[in-house]
Amino acid sequence: MFDAKKVKDDVVLWIREWFEKNGSNCNAVIGISGGKDSSVAAALCVEALGKDRVIGILMPNGEQKDISMAKMLVEHLGITSYEINIQASVQGILSELTKQGIMATDQTNTNLPARIRMSTLYAVSQSMNGRVANTCNLSEDWVGYSTRYGDAAGDFSPLSHLTVSEVKAIGYELSLPLELIEKIPIDGLTDKTDEDNLGFTYAVLDRYIRTGEIEDESVKAKIDIMHKRNQFKLELMPCFVLK
């Protein structure tokens, strides 16, 4: 049985201890999307450090339909926030690729904004005495649903060993608005949900991760393949070792 209160308290203590060792006077800088992960991570940082040491960064790529959710979170937590639109940066790079005769792939168009957002977070962090929070959870990491050097990067990661179901449970423990905890994540390019793109629900994935139990063998095979294929995202960069 998952004890959301105990785990919440443990994560808060871990964040506090991490900052004592890695920047006792530093701020937590976190990208705010308005989804459950950034909401829970930000709320944990507020409880651990105080709202005056948490900085939320909203990073729409042009017009963001659900940016009101991100604004709801920063208002709910009472943290300092900045809105930095990344559209010009993304389009600038894509334009330069085109000038060089390089045709951006769908994968490039998908991952570039995430990497620009991470660059933005580090620009803010280094300008405001910060440490960047990673907001990935175990479920997404398990099947590689993150961008390497994009949202998969960061200085500390409070949620990476927690499944989607567990992150939600902690969100309720933190008394976050229901709309933020239960917000259905979409891919940002279409109106498809993350679960549409994955081909299975997070509930099924979470159960499989924690218990090894799954009813549909074809879904099990798909999850196993995705997990194996994306394992490199969680490992250190391969390096030549001088002998």
Coordinates of all heavy atoms in Angstrom, one line a residue, residues 11 14-15 18-19 27-33 36-45 54-55 59 114 117-118 121-122 125 130-142 145-162 167 233-234:
V11 N 10.3 12.9 0.6 CA 10.8 13.6 -0.6 C 11.1 15.1 -0.1 O 12.2 15.6 -0.5 CB 9.8 13.7 -1.7 CG1 10.3 14.5 -2.9 CG2 9.5 12.2 -2.2
W14 N 14.3 15.0 1.6 CA 15.4 14.7 0.6 C 15.8 16.0 -0.1 O 17.0 16.3 -0.3 CB 15.0 13.6 -0.3 CG 16.1 13.4 -1.4 CD1 17.2 12.6 -1.3 CD2 16.1 13.9 -2.7 NE1 17.9 12.6 -2.4 CE2 17.3 13.4 -3.3 CE3 15.3 14.8 -3.4 CZ2 17.6 13.8 -4.6 CZ3 15.6 15.2 -4.7 CH2 16.8 14.6 -5.3
I15 N 14.8 16.8 -0.6 CA 15.0 18.0 -1.3 C 15.8 19.0 -0.4 O 16.8 19.6 -0.8 CB 13.7 18.7 -1.7 CG1 13.1 17.8 -2.8 CG2 14.0 20.1 -2.3 CD1 11.7 18.3 -3.2
W18 N 19.3 17.9 0.0 CA 20.1 18.0 -1.2 C 20.5 19.5 -1.4 O 21.7 19.7 -1.8 CB 19.2 17.6 -2.4 CG 20.0 17.6 -3.7 CD1 20.7 16.5 -4.2 CD2 20.2 18.7 -4.6 NE1 21.3 16.9 -5.4 CE2 21.0 18.2 -5.7 CE3 19.7 20.0 -4.7 CZ2 21.4 19.0 -6.7 CZ3 20.1 20.8 -5.7 CH2 20.9 20.3 -6.7
F19 N 19.7 20.4 -1.1 CA 20.0 21.8 -1.2 C 21.1 22.2 -0.2 O 21.9 23.1 -0.5 CB 18.8 22.7 -1.2 CG 18.2 22.9 -2.5 CD1 17.3 22.0 -3.0 CD2 18.5 24.1 -3.2 CE1 16.7 22.2 -4.3 CE2 17.9 24.3 -4.5 CZ 17.0 23.4 -5.0
N27 N 18.1 28.8 -5.1 CA 16.6 28.7 -5.4 C 16.4 27.4 -6.3 O 17.2 27.0 -7.1 CB 16.2 29.9 -6.2 CG 16.4 31.2 -5.4 OD1 16.0 31.3 -4.3 ND2 17.1 32.1 -6.1
A28 N 15.2 26.9 -6.2 CA 14.8 25.8 -7.1 C 14.1 26.5 -8.3 O 13.2 27.2 -8.1 CB 13.8 24.9 -6.3
V29 N 14.6 26.2 -9.5 CA 14.1 26.7 -10.7 C 13.4 25.6 -11.4 O 13.9 24.5 -11.7 CB 15.2 27.3 -11.6 CG1 14.6 27.7 -12.9 CG2 15.8 28.5 -10.9
I30 N 12.1 25.8 -11.7 CA 11.3 24.7 -12.3 C 10.4 25.1 -13.4 O 9.7 26.2 -13.3 CB 10.4 24.0 -11.1 CG1 9.6 22.8 -11.7 CG2 9.6 25.0 -10.5 CD1 9.1 22.0 -10.5
G31 N 10.4 24.4 -14.5 CA 9.5 24.7 -15.6 C 8.1 24.3 -15.3 O 7.9 23.1 -14.8
I32 N 7.2 25.2 -15.4 CA 5.8 24.9 -15.1 C 4.9 24.8 -16.3 O 4.8 25.7 -17.1 CB 5.2 26.1 -14.2 CG1 6.1 26.4 -13.0 CG2 3.8 25.9 -13.8 CD1 6.1 25.3 -12.0
S33 N 4.4 23.6 -16.5 CA 3.5 23.3 -17.6 C 2.0 23.3 -17.2 O 1.2 23.5 -18.1 CB 3.8 21.9 -18.2 OG 3.5 20.9 -17.2
K36 N 0.5 17.5 -13.8 CA 0.7 17.0 -12.5 C 2.1 17.0 -12.0 O 2.4 17.2 -10.9 CB 0.1 15.6 -12.4 CG 0.8 14.6 -13.3 CD 0.1 13.3 -13.3 CE 0.8 12.3 -14.3 NZ 0.8 12.9 -15.7
D37 N 3.1 16.6 -12.9 CA 4.4 16.5 -12.5 C 5.1 17.8 -12.1 O 5.7 17.9 -11.0 CB 5.3 15.8 -13.7 CG 4.8 14.5 -14.0 OD1 4.5 13.7 -13.1 OD2 4.7 14.1 -15.2
S38 N 5.0 18.8 -12.9 CA 5.6 20.1 -12.5 C 4.8 20.7 -11.3 O 5.5 21.4 -10.5 CB 5.6 21.1 -13.7 OG 4.3 21.4 -14.1
S39 N 3.5 20.4 -11.2 CA 2.8 20.9 -10.1 C 3.2 20.3 -8.8 O 3.4 21.0 -7.8 CB 1.3 20.7 -10.3 OG 0.8 21.4 -11.5
V40 N 3.3 19.0 -8.8 CA 3.7 18.3 -7.6 C 5.2 18.6 -7.2 O 5.5 18.9 -6.1 CB 3.6 16.8 -7.8 CG1 4.2 16.0 -6.6 CG2 2.1 16.4 -7.9
A41 N 6.1 18.6 -8.2 CA 7.5 18.9 -8.0 C 7.6 20.3 -7.4 O 8.4 20.5 -6.4 CB 8.3 18.8 -9.2
A42 N 6.9 21.3 -7.9 CA 7.0 22.7 -7.4 C 6.4 22.8 -6.0 O 7.0 23.4 -5.1 CB 6.2 23.6 -8.3
A43 N 5.3 22.1 -5.7 CA 4.7 22.1 -4.4 C 5.6 21.5 -3.4 O 5.7 21.9 -2.2 CB 3.4 21.4 -4.4
L44 N 6.3 20.4 -3.8 CA 7.3 19.7 -2.9 C 8.4 20.7 -2.5 O 8.9 20.8 -1.4 CB 7.8 18.5 -3.5 CG 6.8 17.3 -3.6 CD1 7.4 16.2 -4.5 CD2 6.6 16.7 -2.2
C45 N 8.9 21.4 -3.6 CA 10.0 22.3 -3.3 C 9.6 23.5 -2.4 O 10.4 23.9 -1.6 CB 10.5 22.9 -4.7 SG 11.4 21.7 -5.7
V54 N 11.5 29.3 -4.6 CA 11.1 28.5 -5.7 C 10.6 29.5 -6.8 O 9.8 30.4 -6.6 CB 9.9 27.6 -5.4 CG1 9.4 26.8 -6.6 CG2 10.3 26.7 -4.2
I55 N 11.2 29.3 -8.0 CA 11.0 30.1 -9.2 C 10.3 29.3 -10.3 O 11.0 28.3 -10.7 CB 12.3 30.8 -9.7 CG1 12.9 31.6 -8.6 CG2 12.0 31.6 -10.9 CD1 14.3 32.1 -8.9
M59 N 6.9 28.4 -20.2 CA 7.6 28.5 -21.5 C 6.7 28.1 -22.6 O 7.0 27.0 -23.2 CB 8.9 27.7 -21.4 CG 9.9 28.2 -20.4 SD 11.3 27.1 -20.1 CE 10.5 25.8 -19.2
A114 N 11.6 21.0 -26.3 CA 12.0 20.5 -25.0 C 13.4 20.9 -24.6 O 13.7 21.3 -23.5 CB 11.8 19.0 -24.9
R117 N 13.6 24.6 -24.0 CA 13.1 24.9 -22.6 C 14.1 24.6 -21.6 O 14.3 25.3 -20.6 CB 11.8 24.0 -22.4 CG 10.6 24.5 -23.1 CD 9.3 23.8 -22.7 NE 8.1 24.4 -23.4 CZ 7.5 23.9 -24.4 NH1 7.9 22.8 -24.9 NH2 6.5 24.5 -25.0
M118 N 14.8 23.5 -21.7 CA 15.9 23.2 -20.7 C 17.0 24.2 -20.7 O 17.5 24.6 -19.7 CB 16.4 21.8 -20.9 CG 17.4 21.3 -19.8 SD 16.7 21.4 -18.1 CE 15.3 20.3 -18.2
L121 N 15.7 27.1 -18.8 CA 15.8 26.9 -17.4 C 17.2 27.1 -16.8 O 17.3 27.8 -15.8 CB 15.3 25.5 -17.0 CG 13.8 25.3 -17.2 CD1 13.4 23.8 -16.9 CD2 12.9 26.2 -16.4
Y122 N 18.2 26.7 -17.6 CA 19.5 26.8 -17.1 C 20.0 28.3 -17.2 O 20.8 28.8 -16.4 CB 20.5 25.9 -17.8 CG 20.6 24.6 -17.1 CD1 19.8 23.5 -17.5 CD2 21.4 24.4 -16.0 CE1 19.9 22.3 -16.8 CE2 21.4 23.2 -15.3 CZ 20.7 22.2 -15.7 OH 20.7 21.0 -15.0
S125 N 18.4 29.8 -14.2 CA 19.1 29.2 -13.0 C 20.4 29.9 -12.8 O 20.7 30.3 -11.7 CB 19.2 27.7 -13.2 OG 19.9 27.2 -12.0
G130 N 20.3 29.6 -9.0 CA 19.3 28.4 -8.9 C 19.9 27.1 -9.2 O 21.1 26.9 -9.5
R131 N 19.0 26.1 -9.0 CA 19.3 24.7 -9.3 C 18.0 24.2 -10.0 O 16.9 24.4 -9.6 CB 19.5 23.8 -8.0 CG 20.8 24.3 -7.2 CD 22.0 23.9 -7.9 NE 23.2 24.2 -7.1 CZ 23.9 25.3 -7.2 NH1 23.5 26.3 -7.9 NH2 25.0 25.4 -6.4
V132 N 18.2 23.5 -11.2 CA 17.1 23.2 -12.0 C 16.5 21.9 -11.6 O 17.1 20.8 -11.4 CB 17.5 23.1 -13.5 CG1 16.4 22.6 -14.3 CG2 18.0 24.4 -14.0
A133 N 15.1 21.9 -11.4 CA 14.4 20.7 -11.0 C 14.0 19.9 -12.2 O 13.5 20.4 -13.2 CB 13.1 21.0 -10.2
N134 N 14.3 18.6 -12.2 CA 13.8 17.7 -13.2 C 12.4 17.2 -12.8 O 12.2 16.9 -11.6 CB 14.8 16.5 -13.3 CG 14.2 15.3 -14.2 OD1 13.3 14.6 -13.8 ND2 14.7 15.2 -15.4
T135 N 11.5 17.1 -13.7 CA 10.1 16.8 -13.3 C 9.6 15.4 -13.8 O 8.4 15.1 -13.8 CB 9.1 17.9 -13.7 OG1 9.1 18.0 -15.1 CG2 9.5 19.2 -13.1
C136 N 10.5 14.6 -14.4 CA 10.1 13.3 -15.0 C 9.7 12.4 -13.9 O 10.2 12.4 -12.7 CB 11.3 12.7 -15.7 SG 11.7 13.6 -17.3
N137 N 8.8 11.5 -14.2 CA 8.3 10.4 -13.3 C 8.8 9.1 -13.8 O 9.2 8.9 -14.9 CB 6.8 10.5 -13.0 CG 6.0 10.2 -14.3 OD1 6.2 9.2 -14.9 ND2 5.2 11.2 -14.7
L138 N 8.7 8.1 -12.9 CA 9.2 6.7 -13.2 C 8.5 6.1 -14.4 O 9.1 5.5 -15.3 CB 9.0 5.8 -12.0 CG 9.4 4.3 -12.2 CD1 10.9 4.2 -12.6 CD2 9.1 3.5 -10.9
S139 N 7.1 6.3 -14.5 CA 6.4 5.7 -15.6 C 6.8 6.2 -17.0 O 7.0 5.4 -17.9 CB 4.9 6.0 -15.4 OG 4.4 5.6 -14.1
E140 N 7.0 7.5 -17.1 CA 7.4 8.1 -18.3 C 8.9 7.7 -18.7 O 9.2 7.3 -19.8 CB 7.3 9.6 -18.3 CG 5.9 10.1 -18.2 CD 5.8 11.6 -18.0 OE1 6.8 12.2 -17.5 OE2 4.7 12.1 -18.2
D141 N 9.7 7.7 -17.7 CA 11.1 7.3 -17.9 C 11.2 5.8 -18.3 O 12.0 5.4 -19.1 CB 11.9 7.5 -16.6 CG 12.3 8.9 -16.4 OD1 12.2 9.7 -17.3 OD2 12.7 9.3 -15.3
W142 N 10.3 5.0 -17.7 CA 10.3 3.5 -18.0 C 10.2 3.2 -19.5 O 10.8 2.3 -20.0 CB 9.2 2.9 -17.2 CG 9.3 1.4 -17.1 CD1 8.8 0.5 -18.0 CD2 10.0 0.6 -16.1 NE1 9.1 -0.8 -17.6 CE2 9.8 -0.8 -16.5 CE3 10.7 0.9 -15.0 CZ2 10.3 -1.8 -15.7 CZ3 11.2 -0.1 -14.2 CH2 11.0 -1.4 -14.6
Y145 N 9.4 8.1 -22.4 CA 8.6 9.2 -22.8 C 9.1 10.5 -22.2 O 8.5 11.2 -21.4 CB 7.1 9.0 -22.3 CG 6.1 9.6 -23.3 CD1 5.9 9.1 -24.6 CD2 5.3 10.7 -22.9 CE1 5.0 9.6 -25.4 CE2 4.4 11.2 -23.7 CZ 4.2 10.7 -25.0 OH 3.3 11.3 -25.8
S146 N 10.3 10.9 -22.7 CA 11.0 12.1 -22.3 C 12.0 12.4 -23.3 O 12.4 11.6 -24.1 CB 11.6 12.0 -20.9 OG 12.6 11.0 -20.9
T147 N 12.5 13.6 -23.3 CA 13.5 14.1 -24.3 C 14.9 14.1 -23.6 O 15.1 14.9 -22.7 CB 13.2 15.4 -24.9 OG1 11.9 15.3 -25.6 CG2 14.2 15.9 -25.9
R148 N 15.8 13.4 -24.2 CA 17.2 13.4 -23.6 C 17.8 14.8 -23.8 O 17.7 15.4 -24.9 CB 18.1 12.4 -24.4 CG 19.3 12.0 -23.6 CD 20.1 11.0 -24.3 NE 21.1 10.4 -23.4 CZ 22.1 9.7 -23.8 NH1 22.3 9.5 -25.1 NH2 23.0 9.2 -23.0
Y149 N 18.3 15.4 -22.7 CA 18.9 16.7 -22.7 C 17.8 17.8 -22.8 O 18.1 19.0 -23.0 CB 20.0 17.0 -23.8 CG 21.1 15.9 -23.7 CD1 21.3 15.1 -24.8 CD2 21.8 15.7 -22.5 CE1 22.3 14.1 -24.8 CE2 22.8 14.8 -22.5 CZ 23.0 14.0 -23.6 OH 24.0 13.0 -23.5
G150 N 16.5 17.3 -22.7 CA 15.4 18.2 -22.6 C 14.8 18.1 -21.3 O 15.4 18.4 -20.2
D151 N 13.5 17.7 -21.2 CA 12.9 17.5 -19.9 C 13.5 16.4 -19.0 O 13.3 16.3 -17.8 CB 11.4 17.3 -20.0 CG 11.1 16.0 -20.9 OD1 11.8 15.7 -21.8 OD2 10.0 15.4 -20.6
A152 N 14.3 15.5 -19.7 CA 15.0 14.5 -18.9 C 16.2 15.0 -18.2 O 16.8 14.2 -17.4 CB 15.4 13.3 -19.9
A153 N 16.6 16.2 -18.4 CA 17.8 16.8 -17.7 C 17.4 17.5 -16.4 O 16.2 17.6 -16.1 CB 18.5 17.8 -18.7
G154 N 18.4 18.0 -15.7 CA 18.1 18.8 -14.5 C 19.2 18.5 -13.5 O 20.1 17.7 -13.7
D155 N 19.1 19.2 -12.3 CA 20.1 19.1 -11.3 C 19.7 18.1 -10.2 O 20.5 17.5 -9.6 CB 20.4 20.4 -10.7 CG 21.1 21.4 -11.7 OD1 21.9 20.9 -12.4 OD2 20.7 22.6 -11.7
F156 N 18.4 18.1 -10.0 CA 17.9 17.1 -8.9 C 16.5 16.7 -9.4 O 15.8 17.4 -10.1 CB 17.8 17.8 -7.6 CG 16.8 18.9 -7.4 CD1 15.6 18.7 -6.8 CD2 17.0 20.2 -8.0 CE1 14.7 19.7 -6.7 CE2 16.1 21.2 -7.9 CZ 14.9 21.0 -7.2
S157 N 16.1 15.5 -9.0 CA 14.9 14.9 -9.5 C 14.1 14.2 -8.4 O 14.3 13.1 -8.0 CB 15.3 13.8 -10.6 OG 14.1 13.2 -11.1
P158 N 13.0 14.9 -7.9 CA 12.2 14.4 -6.8 C 11.2 13.4 -7.2 O 10.7 12.7 -6.3 CB 11.5 15.7 -6.3 CG 11.5 16.6 -7.5 CD 12.7 16.3 -8.3
L159 N 10.9 13.2 -8.5 CA 9.8 12.3 -8.8 C 10.2 11.1 -9.6 O 9.4 10.2 -10.0 CB 8.8 13.1 -9.7 CG 8.2 14.4 -9.1 CD1 7.2 15.0 -10.0 CD2 7.6 14.1 -7.7
S160 N 11.5 10.9 -10.0 CA 11.9 9.9 -10.9 C 11.8 8.5 -10.5 O 11.9 7.6 -11.3 CB 13.4 10.2 -11.4 OG 14.3 10.1 -10.3
H161 N 11.5 8.3 -9.2 CA 11.3 6.9 -8.7 C 9.8 6.7 -8.3 O 9.5 5.8 -7.6 CB 12.2 6.6 -7.5 CG 13.6 6.4 -7.9 ND1 14.1 5.3 -8.5 CD2 14.7 7.2 -7.8 CE1 15.4 5.4 -8.8 NE2 15.8 6.6 -8.4
L162 N 9.0 7.6 -8.8 CA 7.5 7.5 -8.4 C 6.7 7.4 -9.7 O 7.0 8.1 -10.7 CB 7.1 8.8 -7.7 CG 7.8 9.1 -6.4 CD1 7.4 10.5 -5.9 CD2 7.4 8.1 -5.3
V167 N 2.6 9.8 -8.1 CA 2.7 11.3 -8.1 C 1.3 11.9 -7.9 O 1.2 12.9 -7.1 CB 3.2 11.7 -9.5 CG1 3.1 13.2 -9.7 CG2 4.7 11.3 -9.7
K233 N 18.6 6.4 -22.2 CA 18.3 7.7 -21.7 C 18.6 7.9 -20.3 O 18.8 9.0 -19.8 CB 16.8 8.1 -22.0 CG 16.5 8.2 -23.5 CD 15.0 8.6 -23.6 CE 14.6 8.8 -25.1 NZ 13.2 9.2 -25.2
L234 N 18.6 6.8 -19.5 CA 18.8 6.8 -18.1 C 20.2 6.4 -17.7 O 20.5 6.4 -16.5 CB 17.8 5.8 -17.4 CG 16.3 6.0 -17.8 CD1 15.5 4.9 -17.1 CD2 15.9 7.4 -17.3

